[in-house]
Amino acid sequence: MPDYSNPATPLTAHKYGWSITIGRGPLRYGNNPTQDCTGAYTTQPGATVGSLLAGITTWYARENSIPIDDLVLVRYSLREK
């Protein structure tokens, strides 16, 4: 199984399911408001874990009118479909 914790890991399966927890930074000690999102991804040539996560973060920022620099990726998971 590939090491999906490494951003440089190539995505070799045709499709992936993803799940993230994302919040607005800066995070503070204690409870921080976050949101869970899920989706699917069809692999593009040369895609890596890092490029997929950057794309998801950019999408989330655009959809919610939040500056991308204000977002913090708290957790993510990928699974091959």
Side-chain angles (χ1 to χ4, degrees):
M1 169 106 80
D3 178 12
Y4 293 132
S5 66
N6 180 351
T9 299
L11 298 177
T12 56
H14 181 63
K15 290 187 177 192
Y16 288 86
W18 56 265
S19 173
I20 64 166
T21 300
I22 200 163
R24 285 189 82 162
L27 298 181
R28 296 181 251 326
Y29 180 76
N31 292 331
N32 290 278
T34 59
Q35 184 174 7
D36 294 325
C37 299
T38 59
Y41 175 72
T42 301
T43 306
Q44 304 298 313
T48 63
V49 171
S51 65
L52 172 59
L53 295 175
I56 293 169
T57 305
T58 300
W59 162 80
Y60 185 89
R62 192 175 310 129
E63 289 292 312
N64 293 285
S65 300
I66 299 171
I68 197 163
D69 292 336
D70 289 354
L71 295 177
V72 176
L73 187 61
V74 177
R75 177 202 61 80
Y76 72 90
S77 67
L78 297 174
R79 68 183 182 290
E80 297 177 8
K81 285 187 154 191

